[in-house]
Amino acid sequence: LKLQEDWEQFEYHFDAVHGDFLTRLRQEYSNLSPNEQKLCVFLRLNLNTKEIANLLGISVRGVEVARYRLRKKLGLKRGQNLSKFILEY
């Protein structure tokens, strides 16, 4: 998934299976970076923090920080679960 072409093809098939998830996400949250969009995809696939860290090539702590920043950009309240929000989106 590191090559741009592979990621674009993955996005196309992912959107087809998950009801235009990325398209809707980009429209509603246009301020998300490409890495934050990837994090959303991995959360939608219900991957855990360790699995996401391996896929993105970053530390577990890096994923935790990214999740925190994503929560802020999505405007989630303190009690809301990020994974549940993404799965239901």
Side-chain angles (χ1 to χ4, degrees):
L1 295 177
K2 292 188 189 283
L3 299 174
Q4 185 62 27
E5 291 177 11
D6 291 342
W7 180 253
E8 288 172 2
Q9 190 170 24
F10 174 81
E11 281 182 1
Y12 173 78
H13 293 292
F14 183 85
D15 252 5
V17 172
H18 290 272
D20 293 328
F21 171 77
L22 275 171
T23 304
R24 291 183 290 121
L25 189 71
R26 287 180 182 138
Q27 286 175 350
E28 192 167 343
Y29 301 101
S30 59
N31 61 335
L32 295 180
S33 72
N35 282 340
E36 289 167 335
Q37 292 172 22
K38 285 182 185 180
L39 178 57
C40 289
V41 165
F42 295 143
L43 291 171
R44 179 72 178 220
L45 292 173
N46 211 17
L47 299 179
N48 66 37
T49 301
K50 191 173 181 181
E51 293 168 327
I52 294 170
N54 287 334
L55 286 170
L56 293 177
I58 61 176
S59 68
V60 171
R61 180 69 180 138
V63 175
E64 291 168 354
V65 170
R67 288 173 60 105
Y68 173 76
R69 291 178 179 153
L70 180 60
R71 287 178 54 80
K72 287 181 91 173
K73 280 193 174 181
L74 295 176
L76 298 182
K77 295 177 182 160
R78 196 162 179 82
Q80 284 183 286
N81 184 302
L82 175 62
S83 296
K84 185 178 179 183
F85 174 82
I86 294 294
L87 287 171
E88 294 173 353
Y89 185 79

